[in-house]
Amino acid sequence: MGNGQIPVANPPALPSHLPDSILELGARVDRRPLPDHVRESLRGFQRAACYIASAMIFLRDNVLLESELQLDHVKPRLLGHWGTCPGLILVWSHLSLLIRSHDLDMIFVIGPGHGAPAALAALWLEGSLERFYPGEYDCDTAGLRNLITRFSVPGGFPSHINAETPGSIHEGGELGYALAVSFGAVMDNPDLVVTCVVGDGEAESGPTATAWHSIKFLDSRESGAVIPILYVNGFKISERTIFGCMDDKELICLFAGYGYQVKMVEDLANIDDELSSALEWALVEIKKIQHAARSGNPIVKPRWPMLVLRTPKGWGGPKEIDGKIIEGSFRSHQVPLPKASSDNSQLGALKNWLSSYRIDELIKEGRPTDSIVSILPQNRDKRLGQLEATHNPYVGLKAVDWKGFAVEKGTDQSCMQVTGTYLDRVFQENPTSIRLFSPDELESNKLGAILDHTQRNFQWDEYSRANGGRVIEVLSEHDCQGFMQGYTLTGRTALFPSYESFLGIVHTMMVQYSKFVKIARQVSWRGDLASINYIETSTWARQEHNGFSHQNPSFIGAVLNIKAEAARVYLPPDANCFLSTVQHCLQSRNYTNLIIGSKQPTAVYLSAEEAEEHCRLGASIWHFASSPDTDAPSAADPDVVLVGIGVEVTFEVVKAAELLRTLVPALRVRVVNVTDLMILPAESRHPHALSAARFADIFTTDSPILFNYHGYQTELQGLLFGRAGLHRMAVDGYREEGSTTTPFDMMLVNRVSRFDVAARALRAGVERNLDVKQRLGACLEDIRRRVEDVRAFIAEHGEDPDDMYALPVFDKH
């Protein structure tokens, strides 16, 4: 068949070879006919919303067809997605009735984010747009005109659901994580039900594939429930979907194995009766599971309800145009009549389509009829666009003073181990408002102390089920990210620790979330949110077990690329600074926080009080490691400034200063540590940026500055661009060199070792210090021999020399 054209609308799936007995695994639900007046109200809502949604895509005038439709009534640029709207509107109408009937707290998470016309139309009908945009989108003729004519034009709502959309907690711009977000939202929200529509195209994505397992991490005693609806309309933008080509037996078999009871909803002639009965059944099943758990007898591996909804793509739209199938094909995915503003034939088809909804029967004097309103929740605060949990949810944490967990200065301590002890107390003090989501790395990352007073929460494991655990470990970074987003967007606080090299898996998810929060900060009716918090450890510098594949600090760059108002990147140099930073991040709001530290024992340079001040400033001169004659107020600028940013590379800077003190005491060295990466850009580029005067106080105005940086060199060079005197700044960092080798060899191959730093310092100090100039050759040769000796030792023994990590020693000033 030429061009792969499909000759029929809404083609059925090829039959599978599974036995018919598989169908017995599906849920059998008695269909209860709705009262005629309720069915009429539902259909009225659906017709009105479908009219408004389609008009939003096409009309810039004559929005209620009060006169003959003309070409100049159609928008010149037709933007939007129609194909998914009828199904979303169908579900919205029934959820509204379900909430009204049972007084539910419910959130509707819409995976097909380009279904914004459906959501906005329903929000106007239920009065939510009027509540949040008074005077702009009121329930009157002017408000409806504004909604329709401004859609997808500058100043109006965009073509996909975003933070400007009341009731939304999910952007939907990148497909795949609506389901994980939904499960995160119900955790520790025992009275909340989230209905999540997952498009059959979206269901092909990796994040969705893992998210179906989320029921296995849901403890019904403490958490709410999710009703997943797999919306099968058969087509993506120009191709059939995998799930659309699966028959009922295949779908039931798949999801029954995941742990669901599957109810197929596909009788188009009786769709309202069938969908209403299915949702009532799902709610009964949820209540059974929750009642058992909350009565002390939780069901082992409960089968949670889910629906598979089959309706045609673009249902109710044009059937055919120019001899090509529209409804029930990929051509209805976006704009089914793309030439409606210039082609009289398509204009006529648009007129017939819009007229079929008989909008004059449904909107009277600019307001929806009483029949339509009768299915909406009587309590306006429970309407899908107005539930407080979606727009003003912030709970916050009871603070725990980190100083009680501080460790002794001058010892070796693991940042992660110390932080785990602190977080253990935070979890105890906040038993229902903080969770940790981790991809099976808690013990490896030395955060196991968190489990001293809580447990993992995995309901399919007999040893961790039904115990209220605060920790969810699942080997899907996508799930961890989605859970964190849903949990945070409904008011609570979350942590996501991970191996450094694999946080990049959720790079785009983090960016999408940050975009959502950026827009949310510009919306007057949305309240604050806890920041999302990443802890990055098992860094490239200490991957002696795993090698090159586990060496990748690129997530730093991902965070740096988001808006400065949100981006926060911290590289605390020791355990006390790490504690201070973690407490700060847990109390912060509206940011994306990335905290990077080592799980291995490393030097503690600062006392609790010193660490607190250092973290407050973001960077400071470390006088204990700097040359004594650089401290006096009248002293000349040092010959060279050595800057460490990151745990391991800072240790190498301090050891380089120790080595230089021995090799050439005349070289005047200043040692600086940066813990807040965002102090470095020019002050106009980030809220944390140092003023020019403060930057000069720390880094001098004319001394060479050598940065030893944990991440990629270009990241730091980009941050520094715009600072005066770039010619005197040199950056070294991770160079994509590594293997399964020793920690110090990793420093050597990436040229950030103490020997590399010392050699660069000597070369940089030549022009400012005659003694260095005279001794340069001999000192560099000394350093070369030391490197050779260390490499030889590593080659022979397979480990670093014993004294390689001895704490640096400096004479008292």
Side-chain angles (χ1 to χ4, degrees):
M1 180 165 51
N3 290 328
Q5 297 297 319
I6 297 172
V8 297
N10 202 37
L14 292 171
S16 67
H17 297 288
L18 293 169
D20 290 344
S21 59
I22 289 291
L23 294 173
E24 296 177 10
L25 294 173
R28 298 185 178 184
V29 178
D30 292 335
R31 183 188 300 169
R32 298 181 180 179
L34 289 161
D36 289 343
H37 70 281
V38 174
R39 189 184 302 106
E40 180 181 349
S41 295
L42 285 165
R43 291 180 178 173
F45 184 101
Q46 294 157 19
R47 282 167 46 208
C50 283
Y51 175 87
I52 295 168
S54 52
M56 288 167 67
I57 296 171
F58 286 96
L59 298 185
R60 66 174 176 178
D61 201 357
N62 194 18
V63 299
L64 289 174
L65 299 185
E66 294 172 317
S67 63
E68 187 71 18
L69 192 65
Q70 305 290 331
L71 289 173
D72 61 1
H73 295 158
V74 181
K75 294 174 179 176
R77 297 177 68 237
L78 299 178
L79 302 172
H81 289 64
W82 164 249
T84 193
C85 287
L88 296 178
I89 287 167
L90 173 71
V91 173
W92 194 297
S93 66
H94 279 270
L95 296 182
S96 295
L97 180 62
L98 194 69
I99 297 167
R100 180 186 179 102
S101 300
H102 298 278
D103 194 33
L104 296 176
D105 288 348
M106 180 175 281
I107 298 173
F108 187 16
V109 171
I110 296 174
H114 281 298
L120 293 167
L123 289 164
W124 184 83
L125 288 171
E126 69 175 31
S128 295
L129 292 186
E130 182 175 54
R131 172 177 173 178
F132 292 113
Y133 297 95
E136 196 171 3
Y137 298 113
D138 293 345
C139 280
D140 57 25
T141 302
L144 181 56
R145 176 182 173 81
N146 287 343
L147 177 62
I148 291 172
T149 60
R150 293 179 184 176
F151 176 73
S152 270
V153 301
F157 286 108
S159 67
H160 60 89
I161 293 167
N162 73 343
E164 297 167 285
T165 310
S168 65
I169 61 167
H170 173 60
E171 178 89 7
E174 176 181 292
L175 296 177
Y177 45 100
L179 195 56
V181 167
S182 300
F183 278 95
V186 301
M187 290 175 186
D188 295 324
N189 261 333
D191 299 322
L192 182 65
V193 178
V194 174
T195 299
C196 178
V197 167
V198 178
D200 52 350
E202 177 181 20
E204 296 178 6
S205 67
T208 301
T210 61
W212 292 113
H213 294 288
S214 301
I215 50 172
K216 295 157 189 171
F217 300 95
L218 202 64
D219 185 341
S220 301
R221 182 176 56 84
E222 63 192 9
S223 295
V226 175
I227 302 175
I229 301 177
L230 176 62
Y231 181 27
V232 181
N233 60 31
F235 288 90
K236 304 188 283 284
I237 196 167
S238 63
E239 165 68 303
R240 296 184 73 182
T241 63
I242 292 172
F243 290 88
C245 292
M246 296 173 69
D247 68 8
D248 288 2
K249 291 183 287 186
E250 289 167 322
L251 290 170
I252 289 171
C253 192
L254 174 66
F255 289 105
Y258 279 158
Y260 293 94
Q261 292 187 75
V262 185
K263 174 67 179 87
M264 308 299 299
V265 179
E266 52 191 346
D267 182 357
L268 297 183
N270 299 286
I271 198 72
D272 288 302
D273 291 345
E274 189 171 38
L275 181 54
S276 174
S277 299
L279 287 170
E280 291 284 353
W281 160 79
L283 195 59
V284 168
E285 293 300 308
I286 286 168
K287 295 299 182 184
K288 285 180 184 176
I289 295 168
Q290 291 178 339
H291 178 73
R294 295 168 192 181
S295 300
N297 297 295
I299 300 168
V300 177
K301 293 187 176 181
R303 293 184 66 203
W304 289 90
M306 72 166 286
L307 278 54
V308 176
L309 174 65
R310 288 191 193 268
T311 70
K313 189 88 167 181
W315 190 23
K319 304 290 186 186
E320 185 178 300
I321 194 75
D322 298 332
K324 295 180 179 178
I325 298 167
I326 305 298
E327 183 193 73
S329 84
F330 69 89
R331 292 186 188 87
S332 64
H333 180 82
Q334 291 179 307
V335 179
L337 301 170
K339 299 177 182 178
S341 64
S342 60
D343 181 278
N344 282 311
S345 174
Q346 292 203 10
L347 179 70
L350 176 61
K351 175 186 173 182
N352 293 336
W353 173 19
L354 295 178
S355 297
S356 71
Y357 294 115
R358 307 189 304 280
I359 192 62
D360 59 308
E361 300 174 3
L362 306 169
I363 304 293
K364 303 289 188 181
E365 298 180 354
R367 301 188 68 84
T369 62
D370 291 342
S371 175
I372 289 174
V373 173
S374 69
I375 65 163
L376 298 173
Q378 291 177 301
N379 181 348
R380 287 178 171 268
D381 289 339
K382 296 206 171 188
R383 293 183 181 181
L384 288 172
Q386 301 182 42
L387 191 71
E388 188 175 29
T390 65
H391 64 88
N392 189 30
Y394 181 67
V395 175
L397 296 176
K398 179 181 177 181
V400 175
D401 187 356
W402 67 269
K403 290 180 186 174
F405 301 84
V407 291
E408 185 179 352
K409 175 180 174 179
T411 61
D412 282 332
Q413 302 285 345
S414 162
C415 296
M416 295 304 124
Q417 207 154 19
V418 171
T419 299
T421 304
Y422 167 70
L423 290 174
D424 173 44
R425 178 66 59 82
V426 173
F427 279 51
Q428 291 178 64
E429 295 294 329
N430 298 275
T432 60
S433 56
I434 184 171
R435 282 186 183 247
L436 183 143
F437 305 105
S438 172
D440 190 36
E441 295 158 355
L442 204 66
E443 294 289 353
S444 172
N445 285 332
K446 311 294 190 197
L447 289 166
I450 292 171
L451 298 172
D452 286 352
H453 294 90
T454 189
Q455 295 185 45
R456 294 177 177 86
N457 194 321
F458 180 26
Q459 299 307 301
W460 280 34
D461 174 14
E462 63 180 305
Y463 303 108
S464 64
R465 61 182 294 272
N467 60 31
R470 299 283 87 201
V471 173
I472 289 181
E473 287 191 301
V474 55
L475 262 173
S476 166
E477 284 82 1
H478 295 119
D479 277 355
C480 292
Q481 175 74 25
F483 293 159
M484 176 169 67
Q485 289 181 199
Y487 197 72
T488 302
L489 284 165
T490 48
R492 287 72 55 76
T493 304
L495 288 159
F496 181 174
S498 175
Y499 280 19
E500 176 180 68
S501 56
F502 303 127
L503 265 181
I505 291 170
V506 297
H507 175 166
T508 56
M509 293 180 71
M510 179 275 293
V511 171
Q512 292 282 326
Y513 177 82
S514 297
K515 289 177 184 291
F516 186 94
V517 174
K518 173 189 179 293
I519 298 300
R521 302 306 305 142
Q522 301 168 5
V523 175
S524 61
W525 45 268
R526 282 195 182 267
D528 286 338
L529 296 168
S531 300
I532 56 170
N533 303 294
Y534 300 95
I535 293 179
E536 193 172 272
T537 188
S538 292
T539 64
W540 66 265
R542 295 303 304 266
Q543 282 302 334
E544 54 266 33
H545 282 291
N546 296 301
F548 199 33
S549 65
H550 284 55
Q551 296 159 8
N552 181 358
S554 64
F555 197 66
I556 298 173
V559 176
L560 293 179
N561 284 332
I562 66 175
K563 293 295 288 186
E565 291 79 7
R568 300 291 185 269
V569 180
Y570 301 100
L571 295 102
D574 68 8
N576 285 337
C577 292
F578 205 93
L579 284 171
S580 176
T581 303
V582 168
Q583 183 185 44
H584 167 76
C585 290
L586 290 178
Q587 296 297 324
S588 69
R589 305 184 192 184
N590 307 312
Y591 300 142
T592 297
N593 294 319
L594 173 60
I595 320 166
I596 303 161
S598 179
K599 66 183 182 183
Q600 304 297 345
T602 54
V604 179
Y605 309 100
L606 305 178
S607 67
E609 292 71 23
E610 291 167 340
E612 183 175 53
E613 179 66 4
H614 179 57
C615 292
R616 185 185 69 81
L617 296 172
S620 62
I621 301 168
W622 281 7
H623 297 287
F624 71 86
S626 301
S627 299
D629 61 350
T630 63
D631 279 354
S634 60
D637 281 346
D639 298 323
V640 64
V641 179
L642 305 182
V643 186
I645 310 177
V647 174
E648 294 89 357
V649 293
T650 292
F651 184 77
E652 294 305 307
V653 164
V654 175
K655 293 296 283 187
E658 180 188 45
L659 175 60
L660 289 167
R661 189 85 62 91
T662 302
L663 286 177
V664 54
L667 180 68
R668 291 178 299 118
V669 175
R670 174 178 291 180
V671 173
V672 173
N673 175 260
V674 174
T675 184
D676 178 354
L677 199 57
M678 312 317 292
I679 61 126
L680 293 175
E683 55 192 305
S684 62
R685 291 169 52 201
H686 196 278
H688 287 194
L690 296 177
S691 68
R694 179 62 182 149
F695 191 90
D697 286 343
I698 295 175
F699 297 100
T700 77
T701 56
D702 64 350
S703 300
I705 309 171
L706 308 181
F707 290 92
N708 217 37
Y709 173 52
H710 177 84
Y712 291 102
Q713 295 159 282
T714 52
E715 292 168 352
L716 196 57
Q717 289 164 347
L719 287 178
L720 293 167
F721 187 82
R723 287 290 184 184
L726 282 177
H727 64 280
R728 63 193 179 98
M729 302 180 194
V731 177
D732 276 275
Y734 179 63
R735 294 172 178 260
E736 283 288 336
E737 296 292 344
S739 179
T740 302
T741 187
T742 69
F744 191 73
D745 193 41
M746 281 298 296
M747 298 292 103
L748 288 172
V749 297
N750 285 283
R751 303 182 200 172
V752 291
S753 77
R754 64 202 67 177
F755 302 126
D756 296 288
V757 174
R760 286 194 290 271
L762 290 167
R763 294 188 182 99
V766 161
E767 298 304 320
R768 300 170 63 91
N769 190 302
L770 184 59
D771 286 351
V772 174
K773 190 172 186 178
Q774 292 172 342
R775 299 194 55 202
L776 179 62
C779 289
L780 291 177
E781 177 59 23
D782 185 301
I783 290 172
R784 187 190 65 78
R785 285 197 303 268
R786 291 172 187 255
V787 171
E788 285 187 353
D789 289 345
V790 171
R791 282 183 163 151
F793 184 93
I794 292 171
E796 180 180 354
H797 298 282
E799 61 181 357
D800 294 326
D802 291 341
D803 62 349
M804 197 53 60
Y805 298 102
L807 292 172
V809 177
F810 296 94
D811 295 334
K812 298 292 184 182
H813 290 190

